[in-house]
Amino acid sequence: LGPGKQHQSSMVISGHCGCNPDLKQLPQETTTLDTNVSVCLSCSPGNIIGSGIFISPKGVLEHAGSVGLSLIVWVCGGGICALGSMCYAELGVTIPKSGGDYSYVTEIFGGLVGFLLLWSAVLIMYPTTLAVIALTFSNYVLQPAFQNCVPPYLATRLLSTICILFLTWVNCSSVRWATRIQDVFTVAKLLALGLIIAVGLVQICRGHYDALRPSQAFEFTRDPSVGQIALAFLQASFAFSGWNFLNYVTEEVVEPRKNLPRAIYISIPLVTLVYTLTNIAYFSSMTPEELLASNAVAVTFGEKLLGVFSWVMPISVALSTFGGINGYLFTSSRLCFSGAREGHLPYLLAMIHLKNCTPIPALLVCCGATIVILCIGETHNLINYVSFINFLSYGVTIAGLLYYRWKRPNLLRPIKVHVLVPISYLVFWAVLLGFSLYSEPVVCGMGIVIMLTGVPVYFVGVHWKNKPRCVYRVVECVTYVGQKLCFVVFPQEDLSEITPLTASDKHID
């Protein structure tokens, strides 16, 4: 995908293709990617609690088939996340690199497997997650205007696209603006959940909990199957996504040996409690049929219980999802940036703006991929799609933990979980993915196919080192055109590689 690190260096200093000579070198203080602001978000349950809790309850109930089983899925989903988090804590201090799954798998299994995880994340996981959250934002904004019907397809896609484009512009313009938006809109998310739980508990105290009585809670609308329960777990896992966020900034976490486990033991049980109480609150005011018929569950909840203040709910959820889109744009662009810096993606994606220090090319790629997926998918199918790929990457990473223990048994491990923890996770993982693939072969199979398309891309773009000179010239020219359009350069730490130039580098000039 790129000419290699040697040619990367020569591209930075070359004047080929008419590149602005001011892009050749930059003062060090202006060429460092400004990501240190992400550290302040790393130890909060707010990383996990997101727009997923406003999206997934309908899908969980639909596949679980009863109120009682759906609540069990939510509680068990939190437990599975706790097992995975403990495994990731060991990996985080054993392989102290930022980048999460991508860094660990690359270190343990080599470049090909790491590239496939990166490939699936860039093409599937992050764009699909962004598309789901953007569609939810549109539904909650438009639902008050279409109370008795589903908002028009074109209207939801158009509003979602406008939202994605606007937040991409914000992230391209300033890291500070992006983080300010994240801080402000996190309040809306917590306000909405707090209001739902409080009102729901009041309803229960008044005796409105018929759907939660054991005699009714386990009345199944259809015979449950293992495959449908597996799909219910996939829907719930979308709401829990983010539990491994700390591992993407491990190098910036102070005392990870203490703080990684502490974050797990506090955040996972707290998030599980909040999600379970939120679903209980939904069922205190809605029958299962009403919840399944709703296109925006929190809006329906507000209309039934908040009266004249029902407008608070769609606004709060819309603001929450707006902030969620911003957060995923921020982190997905940094993953593209990291992959390009390692030579697994085009080097243009490892460049940042001359003045704003934002990864504009990476942001534009994420934006473009998201808009494409917006036009071809439906919300709950997209959730199954992205959750399947997410679980696939989690399982490969945790299998790597066991393999790394066998491969390097004497390596210092400040945190070492009992071997039953990763084994239990992998057993659940194998059952979940197997039955999910059986129940939704097209949706889940397409995810595997797209991931495997990365194999020829890896061997042609990354593994093949001695490409024809014309390929390097094309890549160089495209890179310079991208530099001129986006006004971007390599960060200063990469420029340290430009000296001394070898004879093999000079032929490109």
Side-chain angles (χ1 to χ4, degrees):
L1 292 176
K5 286 190 176 292
Q6 290 181 334
H7 298 293
Q8 170 192 351
S9 302
S10 63
M11 283 196 297
V12 177
I13 65 171
S14 169
H16 189 62
C17 296
C19 180
N20 186 338
D22 293 337
L23 298 184
K24 295 178 183 178
Q25 301 227 2
L26 290 172
Q28 185 169 357
E29 62 271 14
T30 64
T31 55
T32 302
L33 180 60
D34 191 1
T35 57
N36 58 343
V37 291
S38 65
V39 179
C40 65
L41 302 173
S42 60
C43 289
S44 171
N47 297 324
I48 307 174
I49 298 175
S51 54
I53 188 57
F54 304 116
I55 304 170
S56 297
K58 179 178 177 179
V60 173
L61 179 61
E62 181 180 0
H63 291 295
S66 73
V67 172
L69 186 56
S70 68
L71 293 177
I72 291 174
V73 167
W74 282 105
V75 174
C76 293
I80 296 302
C81 287
L83 292 178
S85 297
M86 288 189 284
C87 297
Y88 271 63
E90 177 178 330
L91 286 169
V93 295
T94 305
I95 307 174
K97 295 181 180 179
S98 295
D101 311 61
Y102 168 64
S103 297
Y104 305 147
V105 169
T106 302
E107 174 74 20
I108 297 170
F109 294 119
L112 175 59
V113 182
F115 176 82
L116 291 180
L117 256 65
L118 178 68
W119 181 256
S120 61
V122 171
L123 289 186
I124 301 176
M125 287 193 293
Y126 278 112
T128 305
T129 302
L130 280 164
V132 170
I133 300 175
L135 288 172
T136 305
F137 167 80
S138 301
N139 284 329
Y140 273 92
V141 169
L142 296 173
Q143 191 63 45
F146 299 91
Q147 294 184 4
N148 299 320
C149 61
V150 176
Y153 177 92
L154 184 60
T156 56
R157 266 59 184 182
L158 182 60
L159 184 57
S160 298
T161 301
I162 292 172
C163 178
I164 292 290
L165 290 173
F166 172 74
L167 287 173
T168 300
W169 173 77
V170 170
N171 278 267
C172 288
S173 300
S174 172
V175 174
R176 183 169 296 157
W177 291 1
T179 52
R180 292 268 176 87
I181 286 177
Q182 195 65 24
D183 293 341
V184 170
F185 286 92
T186 296
V187 176
K189 170 177 61 182
L190 300 177
L191 173 65
L193 284 176
L195 182 60
I196 289 171
I197 292 173
V199 173
L201 291 177
V202 171
Q203 282 290 99
I204 291 174
C205 292
R206 291 178 176 177
H208 300 287
Y209 51 86
D210 291 342
L212 297 170
R213 297 179 186 274
S215 58
Q216 297 185 29
F218 289 95
E219 289 184 357
F220 289 90
T221 57
R222 61 183 174 190
D223 292 334
S225 66
V226 179
Q228 290 299 317
I229 294 173
L231 292 175
F233 271 103
L234 285 186
Q235 292 282 330
S237 71
F238 181 81
F240 281 102
S241 60
W243 55 264
N244 61 336
F245 177 80
L246 271 177
N247 294 79
Y248 283 86
V249 291
T250 303
E251 295 173 24
E252 301 170 79
V253 175
V254 178
E255 297 186 29
R257 181 178 179 179
K258 295 180 180 179
N259 289 327
L260 280 174
R262 187 178 300 166
I264 293 167
Y265 300 144
I266 294 174
S267 63
I268 300 295
L270 179 59
V271 171
T272 304
L273 177 64
V274 169
Y275 283 179
T276 305
L277 289 177
T278 301
N279 280 273
I280 289 174
Y282 286 148
F283 293 122
S284 71
S285 61
M286 288 184 282
T287 64
E289 293 74 20
E290 287 176 324
L291 192 148
L292 290 174
S294 174
N295 192 49
V297 178
V299 169
T300 304
F301 178 88
E303 290 173 349
K304 290 178 69 70
L305 295 183
L306 298 182
V308 294
F309 295 102
S310 61
W311 55 269
V312 172
M313 196 55 63
I315 291 178
S316 297
V317 177
L319 294 177
S320 171
T321 51
F322 188 82
I325 296 168
N326 179 74
Y328 268 95
L329 269 175
F330 188 93
T331 54
S332 62
S333 62
R334 269 61 185 179
L335 181 61
C336 287
F337 178 89
S338 299
R341 201 169 51 177
E342 294 297 321
H344 283 173
L345 291 174
Y347 284 122
L348 181 61
L349 300 183
M351 293 187 179
I352 61 175
H353 190 266
L354 177 67
K355 295 181 180 179
N356 299 331
C357 298
T358 52
I360 292 178
L363 283 163
L364 294 178
V365 167
C366 296
C367 174
T370 301
I371 291 174
V372 170
I373 292 177
L374 272 175
C375 301
I376 61 176
E378 185 272 331
T379 302
H380 292 290
N381 283 337
L382 289 176
I383 291 176
N384 286 339
Y385 197 50
V386 70
S387 298
F388 181 84
I389 298 299
N390 260 330
F391 259 103
L392 191 59
S393 64
Y394 296 156
V396 171
T397 305
I398 293 176
L401 181 148
L402 294 176
Y403 176 74
Y404 209 52
R405 284 190 181 183
W406 172 78
K407 181 181 177 181
R408 302 188 64 180
N410 298 323
L411 187 68
L412 176 64
R413 292 174 170 85
I415 299 174
K416 188 174 182 178
V417 299
H418 195 280
V419 70
L420 288 179
V421 173
I423 290 176
S424 300
Y425 186 92
L426 288 175
V427 169
F428 172 84
W429 170 81
V431 172
L432 177 71
L433 293 192
F435 281 100
S436 299
L437 188 59
Y438 174 78
S439 300
E440 290 282 358
V442 176
V443 173
C444 299
M446 279 299 296
I448 295 176
V449 169
I450 293 176
M451 177 181 285
L452 293 179
T453 59
V455 175
V457 175
Y458 173 81
F459 281 105
V460 173
V462 179
H463 186 72
W464 184 19
K465 300 298 183 183
N466 299 318
K467 302 181 184 68
R469 183 178 299 180
C470 62
V471 174
Y472 289 127
R473 291 192 179 278
V474 169
V475 171
E476 182 184 3
C477 189
V478 171
T479 302
Y480 274 125
V481 170
Q483 282 188 277
K484 292 170 68 177
L485 290 176
C486 300
F487 208 55
V488 292
V489 292
F490 282 113
Q492 183 67 36
E493 60 265 30
D494 288 332
L495 290 179
S496 63
E497 300 177 13
I498 67 174
T499 54
L501 283 175
T502 64
S504 61
D505 297 323
K506 295 180 182 179
H507 75 270
I508 291 185
D509 295 331

